[in-house]
């Protein structure tokens, strides 16, 4: 078995990594370190995240950099602040004994003057995100002409994030004699182009098979209708009470909504996306790193560079459009040789994409069923029993209270006691999942899901704050569109009537007429709100927001008809903190529907466009 020292590292550094707990080099370290230590060869490392690539380039870099000189000799470019900081932290840990070495992080969202001050003090190694480094170059606050080594980490990610021009500009200010090491999980042609333009005869090394995912990741998928995805997600979470998971959504809005819904439903979840400011993002990441947060819901961009070990599950609420995103998402689990599970939640329509990913990754997706209610209950019960086994009894302190407890329970047999004890914690779950529907979409159940979206892909989808509770029906809505907006049936696509609100599709060229036609309208004292939703395709089955339906009941609960909260299945938290388990803490069902406060409109007799028209505001 190889040791770090046998790879050519000095005793000081080998001891340092040993102290951190790295006993043997990972495959990429074993192959890359001896090569990079020569310091005279460009290098391409095709390696998944979590393979130990930071040490693979970091350790040779620390050996090669001369800490007696204050010149900036090495530049590491990384796609995100999170990854940049992680690299700095790793390098500092490795080089604790190198007292004269200054490693400076340069990244957006923090004081630029502070970073300039640190760079000017003399930084032998700068770890930077491209955008902020360009700012520093613009201010002439950094000198890259002395650079000997450039590392491009997660190069594919940097290009995905649109840093191509920044990278070009940065590299053009470094000397031609520099040595470049490029690391990337995937090798699209854009990364190839960088290698071609800036590297000469690079040594190329692939860890694992090219374009092959991390073999420690088990790729699974569930097929469920779009509108059931949120419920199915909760089933998956409930079925995995010990989950430490990352959930990916496509948009910031979806990310925020899913996280909020999960929180309202009692899960220990939070959101990470670009609408949060840096301090908020730092707070969320700190909670996740400390594991006080169990479920992080994130966008692809925000989650880049997340380097948290022991993530057990990555859940994709939908398949990303870019195949490479799938690799990056799922690569957040199964780090450092551990196992992890990636679960893609797909509608029947999306299963084709899985086949493409399978082909590219040479991985096999295993279909798993969305757990049924009884299966979740069984799993939760067993988790509860495990907790009973594992609970630490404080013998000394509980002793004084026990006689009274024994006295209280003396009439119960052991079996009765067990039953009651289990029910105490468990009734809410049983209640919640009683009559829970099957959420697995089979081909027959999904026809509506497929059809609607395709038919009106060129239309805009509108939200209107009127629904069945306002006695709105399809003929009435069509009449309304005709009367108010001059839009006839042939320009109208799928209509989706909900309890308190509805969606309808209209050909794009008529969209302005819709907005104008409903302007200033009132219904039963309420302003009528009509707006284009950000769902691109039509029907209740489009994209990931199908959970907004107010229709069927899940587990005997009535869903809220409220637009924002439509994906909540009641269940606010009921006392006590949930701590780290997703199990148990179901709140009482919130049976209130938004409609209760909707005034005369919902209870009034007859809803006809004529009535509606009369209530138009006069300006
Ligand atoms: P990286 O791919 O550099 O982000 O590393 C992924 C994880 O593996 C990090 O948590 C590292 O601390 C850890 N790691 C890297 N190299 C080793 C090693 N040789 N032995 C044990 N853990 C390692």
């Amino acid at each position: 078995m190889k040791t770090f020292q046998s790879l050519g590292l000095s005793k000081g550094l080998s001891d340092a990594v040993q102290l951190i707990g790295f006993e043997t080099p990972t495959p990429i370290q074993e192959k890359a370190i001896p090569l990079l230590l020569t310091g005279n060869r460009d290098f391409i490392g095709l390696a998944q995240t979590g393979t130990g690539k930071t040490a693979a380039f970091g350790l040779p870099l620390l050996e090669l950099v001369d800490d007696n000189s204050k010149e900036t000799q090495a530049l590491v470019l990384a796609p995100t602040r999170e990854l940049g900081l992680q690299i700095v932290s790793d390098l500092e840990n490795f080089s604790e004994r190198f007292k004269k070495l200054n490693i400076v992080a340069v990244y957006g969202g923090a004081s630029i003057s502070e970073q300039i001050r640190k760079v000017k003090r003399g930084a032998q190694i700068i770890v930077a995100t491209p955008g902020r480094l360009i700012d520093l170059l613009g201010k002439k606050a950094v000198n890259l002409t002395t650079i000997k080594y450039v590392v491009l980490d997660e190069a594919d990610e940097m290009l995905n994030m649109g840093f191509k021009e920044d990278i070009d500009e940065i590299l053009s200010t470094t000397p031609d004699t520099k040595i470049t090491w490029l690391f990337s999980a995937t090798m699209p042609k854009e990364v190839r182009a960088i290698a071609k333009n800036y590297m000469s005869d690079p040594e190329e090394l692939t860890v694992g098979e090219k374009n092959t995912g991390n073999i420690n990741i088990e790729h699974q998928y569930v097929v469920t209708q779009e509108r059931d995805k949120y419920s199915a997600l909760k089933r998956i979470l409930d079925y995995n009470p010990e989950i430490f998971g990352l959930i990916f959504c496509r948009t910031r809005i979806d990310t925020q909504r899913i996280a909020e819904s999960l929180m309202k439903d009692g899960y220990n979840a939070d959101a990470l996306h670009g609408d949060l400011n840096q301090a908020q993002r730092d707070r969320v990441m700190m909670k996740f790193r400390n594991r006080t947060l169990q479920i992080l819901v994130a966008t692809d961009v925000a989650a880049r560079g997340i380097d948290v070990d022991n993530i057990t599950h990555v859940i994709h609420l939908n398949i990303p459009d870019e195949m490479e995103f799938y690799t990056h998402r799922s690569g957040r689990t199964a780090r450092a040789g551990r196992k992890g599970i990636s679960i893609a939640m797909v509608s029947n329509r999306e299963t084709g994409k899985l086949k493409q990913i399978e082909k590219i990754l040479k991985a096999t997706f295993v279909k798993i069923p969305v757990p049924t209610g009884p299966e979740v209950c069984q799993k939760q019960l067993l988790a509860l029993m495990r907790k009973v086994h594992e609970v630490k009894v404080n013998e000394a302190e509980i002793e004084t209270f026990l006689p009274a407890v024994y006295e209280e329970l003396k009439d119960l047999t052991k079996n009765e006691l067990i039953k009651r004890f289990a029910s105490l914690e468990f009734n809410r779950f049983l209640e919640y999942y009683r009559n829970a529907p099957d959420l697995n979409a089979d081909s027959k159940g999904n026809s509506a899901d497929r059809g609607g979206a395709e038919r009106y892909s060129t239309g805009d989808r509108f939200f209107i704050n009127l629904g069945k509770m306002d006695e709105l029906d399809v003929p009435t809505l069509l009449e309304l569109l005709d009367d108010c907006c001059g839009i006839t049936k042939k320009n109208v696509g799928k209509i989706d009537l909900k309890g308190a609100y509805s969606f309808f599709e209209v050909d794009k060229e008529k969209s302005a007429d819709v907005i104008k036609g409903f302007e200033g309208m009132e219904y039963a004292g309420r302003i009528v709100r009509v707006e284009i939703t950000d769902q691109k395709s039509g029907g209740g089955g489009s994209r990931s927001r199908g959970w907004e339906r107010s229709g069927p009941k899940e587990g005997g609960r009535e869903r809220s008809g409220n637009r924002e909260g439509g994906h909540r299945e009641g269940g606010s938290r009921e006392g006590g903190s949930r701590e780290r388990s997703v199990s148990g803490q179901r709140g009482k069902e919130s049976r209130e529907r938004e409609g209760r406060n909707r005034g005369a409109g919902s209870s009034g007799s007859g809803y006809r466009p004529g009535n509606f028209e009369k209530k138009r505001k006069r300006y």
Side-chain angles (χ1 to χ4, degrees):
M1 204 188 297
K2 289 250 161 70
T3 63
F4 280 99
Q5 209 168 349
S6 70
L7 301 180
L9 288 179
S10 64
K11 180 152 177 8
L13 264 189
S14 317
D15 288 351
V17 287
Q18 214 96 45
L19 271 179
I20 294 168
F22 294 5
E23 283 169 12
T24 48
T26 64
I28 187 149
Q29 291 162 1
E30 196 175 315
K31 289 182 190 160
I33 289 174
L35 215 132
L36 300 186
L37 275 174
T38 62
N40 58 16
R41 188 80 194 263
D42 284 350
F43 172 84
I44 295 175
L46 260 167
Q48 305 288 324
T49 172
T51 49
K53 62 186 165 56
T54 314
F57 68 75
L59 295 171
L61 212 54
L62 292 169
E63 294 284 12
L64 293 167
V65 162
D66 176 8
D67 59 358
N68 288 315
S69 158
K70 284 207 157 191
E71 281 181 347
T72 301
Q73 300 155 53
L75 170 66
V76 181
L77 287 180
T80 60
R81 162 198 157 107
E82 280 75 23
L83 184 60
L85 286 173
Q86 187 61 45
I87 293 169
V88 171
S89 151
D90 284 356
L91 294 181
E92 284 177 346
N93 285 337
F94 301 149
S95 63
E96 243 186 6
R97 298 182 189 176
F98 299 13
K99 296 290 175 222
K100 288 184 282 183
L101 191 69
N102 267 329
I103 304 165
V104 174
V106 166
Y107 52 86
S111 159
I112 192 165
S113 46
E114 178 64 15
Q115 291 172 2
I116 291 174
R117 202 178 53 75
K118 284 187 179 162
V119 168
K120 289 212 161 136
R121 231 174 32 198
Q124 291 95 343
I125 302 177
I126 293 179
V127 181
T129 51
R132 178 51 71 92
L133 187 61
I134 290 283
D135 294 343
L136 259 66
L137 281 170
K139 290 179 184 292
K140 303 213 175 340
V142 62
N143 173 17
L144 300 183
T145 60
T146 51
I147 291 286
K148 290 186 178 140
Y149 305 97
V150 170
V151 181
L152 302 172
D153 195 15
E154 300 205 355
D156 51 352
E157 279 295 285
M158 286 199 280
L159 296 179
N160 274 339
M161 292 177 73
F163 285 135
K164 163 96 177 61
E165 281 171 19
D166 291 348
I167 292 172
D168 284 337
E169 194 176 331
I170 291 165
L171 292 183
S172 68
T173 57
T174 56
D176 290 343
T177 51
K178 71 181 173 293
I179 298 296
T180 306
W181 302 338
L182 180 150
F183 288 82
S184 197
T186 57
M187 203 28 118
K189 59 179 185 312
E190 295 81 2
V191 178
R192 276 268 165 245
I194 293 256
K196 192 159 167 268
N197 293 342
Y198 296 104
M199 299 168 84
S200 74
D201 187 26
E203 176 83 31
E204 192 166 323
L205 203 151
T206 304
V207 174
E209 219 179 311
K210 212 175 207 166
N211 281 337
T212 302
N214 179 341
I215 54 161
N216 287 326
I217 303 172
E218 212 175 305
H219 298 273
Q220 304 178 342
Y221 71 104
V222 296
V223 184
T224 185
Q225 295 206 43
E226 281 291 339
R227 63 181 183 218
D228 289 331
K229 275 194 176 169
Y230 181 66
S231 303
L233 171 67
K234 291 203 300 183
R235 294 261 182 103
I236 293 169
L237 297 177
D238 289 345
Y239 191 69
N240 292 284
E242 308 295 332
I243 194 170
F244 178 49
L246 190 52
I247 298 171
F248 281 96
C249 297
R250 233 194 291 243
T251 66
R252 294 168 188 194
I253 297 171
D254 287 347
T255 302
Q256 187 62 33
R257 285 188 179 173
I258 287 285
E260 276 175 13
S261 301
L262 287 174
M263 283 187 262
K264 280 174 195 148
D265 285 346
Y267 296 84
N268 180 6
D270 212 334
L272 185 76
H273 54 74
D275 286 344
L276 304 179
N277 64 34
Q278 196 60 56
Q280 290 169 318
R281 289 167 56 160
D282 287 348
R283 234 183 347 262
V284 172
M285 276 314 296
M286 195 162 80
K287 281 197 294 175
F288 195 53
R289 261 184 234 291
N290 296 342
R291 290 189 149 234
T292 46
L293 179 67
Q294 190 181 9
I295 298 158
L296 181 63
V297 189
T299 55
D300 287 290
V301 174
R304 277 179 183 139
I306 285 187
D307 174 29
V308 175
D309 287 341
N310 296 321
I311 290 176
T312 59
H313 292 71
V314 168
I315 300 177
H316 315 253
L317 219 65
N318 31 42
I319 292 285
D321 294 327
E322 304 276 337
M323 288 301 139
E324 279 142 28
F325 283 14
Y326 181 84
T327 311
H328 284 284
R329 286 176 172 191
S330 51
R332 302 296 147 196
T333 182
R335 297 172 66 77
R338 295 183 193 90
K339 301 255 182 233
I341 294 175
S342 167
I343 303 178
M345 302 185 69
V346 295
S347 61
N348 270 330
R349 195 161 18 117
E350 290 176 307
T351 49
K353 284 191 189 168
L354 290 180
K355 299 232 159 52
Q356 291 174 36
I357 297 176
E358 276 190 329
K359 236 176 163 172
I360 294 168
L361 283 188
K362 298 191 181 73
T364 309
F365 278 96
V366 177
K367 184 174 177 185
I368 56 162
V370 178
T372 62
E375 282 166 350
V376 171
C377 290
Q378 170 86 4
K379 199 73 184 287
Q380 288 285 344
L381 202 48
L382 290 177
L384 179 63
M385 292 313 123
R386 196 168 51 245
K387 270 197 213 158
V388 172
H389 274 290
E390 287 168 2
V391 71
K392 197 166 173 290
V393 176
N394 187 332
E395 301 283 357
E397 300 213 20
I398 203 161
E399 194 60 39
T400 44
F401 301 97
L402 282 178
V405 175
Y406 291 142
E407 178 61 26
E408 208 46 46
L409 301 175
K410 70 173 192 280
D411 295 331
L412 296 176
T413 64
K414 180 182 167 192
N415 280 354
E416 275 171 338
L417 197 59
I418 291 173
K419 256 189 289 183
R420 279 164 188 269
F421 157 76
S423 304
L424 196 65
E425 176 76 359
F426 202 58
N427 275 353
R428 278 195 300 263
F429 249 94
L430 287 175
E431 187 53 40
Y432 182 72
Y433 278 111
R434 192 185 309 288
N435 305 325
D438 181 1
L439 298 179
N440 292 285
D442 54 25
S443 45
K444 59 183 184 301
N446 234 12
S447 51
D449 187 28
R450 266 199 304 269
E454 281 151 20
R455 205 162 37 116
Y456 266 81
S457 54
T458 55
D460 274 332
R461 191 166 197 253
F462 286 85
F463 161 85
I464 183 167
N465 62 340
L466 298 173
K468 287 181 193 162
M469 286 159 51
D470 306 295
E471 296 174 41
L472 184 70
D473 55 19
V474 172
T476 309
L477 182 57
L478 287 172
E479 217 175 317
L480 206 54
L481 283 165
D482 197 355
D483 276 10
C484 302
C485 318
I487 293 172
T488 55
K489 201 175 161 191
K490 73 175 169 33
N491 294 118
V492 181
K494 191 172 165 66
I495 292 176
D496 224 344
L497 296 171
K498 311 286 185 189
Y501 60 97
S502 304
F503 293 107
F504 60 89
E505 291 174 342
V506 165
D507 281 341
K508 265 198 191 323
E509 66 267 22
K510 298 281 180 192
S511 290
D513 297 345
V514 176
I515 301 287
K516 202 147 176 265
F518 283 107
E519 211 174 68
M521 290 287 200
E522 275 187 17
Y523 175 70
R526 264 186 311 130
I527 302 247
V528 175
R529 204 156 52 82
V530 174
E531 55 196 48
I532 295 181
T533 76
D534 57 354
Q535 286 170 276
K536 295 234 164 39
S537 54
S542 74
R543 295 238 161 170
S544 57
R545 286 175 45 205
W547 56 82
E548 288 174 333
R549 74 171 175 172
S550 61
K553 295 170 185 180
E554 153 91 338
R557 288 156 175 254
E558 222 173 314
R559 299 186 195 209
S560 157
N562 170 345
R563 182 178 181 232
E564 293 296 318
H567 44 293
R568 262 196 284 147
E569 294 172 49
S572 63
R573 232 158 107 168
E574 191 183 45
S577 81
R578 186 184 177 83
E579 296 189 348
R580 282 184 33 209
S581 166
V582 287
S583 60
Q585 301 284 346
R586 296 277 163 224
K588 256 189 181 165
E589 177 181 343
S590 161
R591 294 189 186 275
E592 272 195 9
R593 305 181 74 177
E594 190 207 24
R596 288 228 309 233
N597 304 322
R598 291 165 70 88
S602 50
S603 56
S605 62
Y607 171 82
R608 299 257 62 87
N611 287 349
F612 184 85
E613 190 64 39
K614 272 183 229 148
K615 292 182 170 96
R616 183 190 271 278
K617 260 188 188 165
R618 300 197 189 284
Y619 290 100

